[in-house]
Amino acid sequence: MTEPARWPARGDAAMTNALLPIGRAMILAAGLGKRMRPITTTTPKPLVRVGGRALIDHAIDRFVDAGVAEVIVNVHYLPDLVETHLGRRKAPAITVSDERTRLLETGGGIKKALPLLGDQPFFVGNSDSLWIEGPRSNVRRLGRAWDPEQMDVLLLLASTATSIGYDGLGDFAMDTAGRLVRRGERLVVPFVYAGVAIVKPALFAETPDGPFSLNLVFDRALERGRLHGLRLDGQWLHVGTPDAVRLAEDVIANSNR
């Protein structure tokens, strides 16, 4: 079995987990990016540049800024390009979970990487999770809101109505205690999943060995009343198509004026 590629943090850039009780994160970067074509014909979606930087760097830096010391990244489509890009970073410590031979979807990819993630709760983030930060780090807010006695999963949620580039009906409604319920058929709900969560690894027990969606894990927590949410403080940018990239570029440029 081939050892996973690793890039340790170096020198003064090495991070400690002083700010949060959660030290590891997984970034999902193995998708095909079909909706982003033709850009993704030659560039994997995690390396699409928005605001002058690759999407995956935006995602990794959110975790670094919050004190996360280790990041696992899965790869499948144009994996050599993603690995080369990650190898140029000085921090954090990055380990690649290789899915070259088989795309495992979001849930299956995390399950394959569990030996790297350990037995404690971890962050998971989509490689294209992008937002304009409010006055406080949303990853730190998520970590500080985490209550393992009450929660199995904690999702970062954005406003369905005000998110940029999103025209869907939302994913969840939330009660006053932060517990979530899924959107019913033909209904509009206030919140959409913003692509970042905290998850307990035990939820992956008795899940399929092959590809499956992370929604299976979310629904297990929901059935127990242990799927919770935290509203994003800032502006979520849904970057799913070439048009959405251009829109996000405009929003970021305006926010920096």
Side-chain angles (χ1 to χ4, degrees):
M1 180 176 177
T2 303
E3 285 293 315
R6 300 174 186 267
W7 292 284
R10 297 185 287 272
D12 293 338
M15 299 299 296
T16 63
N17 194 32
L19 298 176
L20 296 177
I22 299 170
R24 291 190 176 98
M26 179 162 186
I27 293 181
L28 301 171
L32 301 176
K34 291 181 179 179
R35 293 179 62 229
M36 193 70 82
R37 290 177 179 169
I39 298 174
T40 50
T41 302
T42 56
T43 301
K45 187 176 181 182
L47 301 190
V48 172
R49 297 178 71 83
V50 178
R53 301 167 61 231
L55 284 169
I56 197 168
D57 286 326
H58 287 285
I60 292 174
D61 287 347
R62 297 292 194 203
F63 292 119
V64 171
D65 291 345
V68 171
E70 299 178 48
V71 172
I72 291 84
V73 180
N74 65 342
V75 297
H76 172 78
Y77 178 61
L78 300 176
D80 293 344
L81 295 180
V82 178
E83 288 192 88
T84 298
H85 182 87
L86 295 174
R88 298 189 185 107
R89 292 189 59 103
K90 294 183 178 180
I94 297 176
T95 303
V96 166
S97 180
D98 194 332
E99 295 178 27
R100 280 173 168 82
T101 59
R102 189 183 189 190
L103 183 60
L104 295 172
E105 300 183 27
T106 51
I110 294 173
K111 183 172 182 177
K112 181 180 188 295
L114 285 179
L116 303 172
L117 290 162
D119 59 1
Q120 296 301 308
F122 55 86
F123 287 104
V124 58
N126 296 337
S127 62
D128 60 352
S129 295
L130 183 63
W131 63 85
I132 296 171
E133 200 81 275
R136 299 169 294 170
S137 160
N138 281 284
V139 176
R140 290 188 199 179
R141 290 179 62 238
L142 202 69
R144 289 168 180 165
W146 171 248
D147 180 359
E149 298 300 318
Q150 303 293 325
M151 306 169 183
D152 288 338
V153 177
L154 177 61
L155 306 182
L156 185 64
L157 302 175
S159 166
T160 300
T162 63
S163 294
I164 302 298
Y166 179 77
D167 59 3
L169 301 177
D171 297 319
F172 298 100
M174 181 164 54
D175 69 15
T176 56
R179 290 185 296 265
L180 302 181
V181 294
R182 284 203 180 270
R183 177 179 62 83
E185 188 176 357
R186 294 189 296 274
L187 296 177
V188 178
V189 287
F191 300 107
V192 56
Y193 176 46
V196 179
I198 298 172
V199 180
K200 287 182 177 177
L203 290 174
F204 289 85
E206 299 181 10
T207 53
D209 290 331
F212 68 93
S213 170
L214 187 55
N215 281 311
L216 174 63
V217 171
F218 291 171
D219 286 341
R220 284 186 170 186
L222 187 151
E223 289 168 4
R224 301 169 185 166
R226 296 176 62 86
L227 179 69
H228 285 239
L230 179 73
R231 182 170 183 160
L232 182 140
D233 187 0
Q235 183 84 63
W236 187 54
L237 308 174
H238 184 233
V239 187
T241 65
D243 286 342
V245 170
R246 290 187 284 271
L247 182 58
E249 291 271 10
D250 291 342
V251 172
I252 291 171
N254 290 332
S255 72
N256 290 331
R257 289 177 181 172

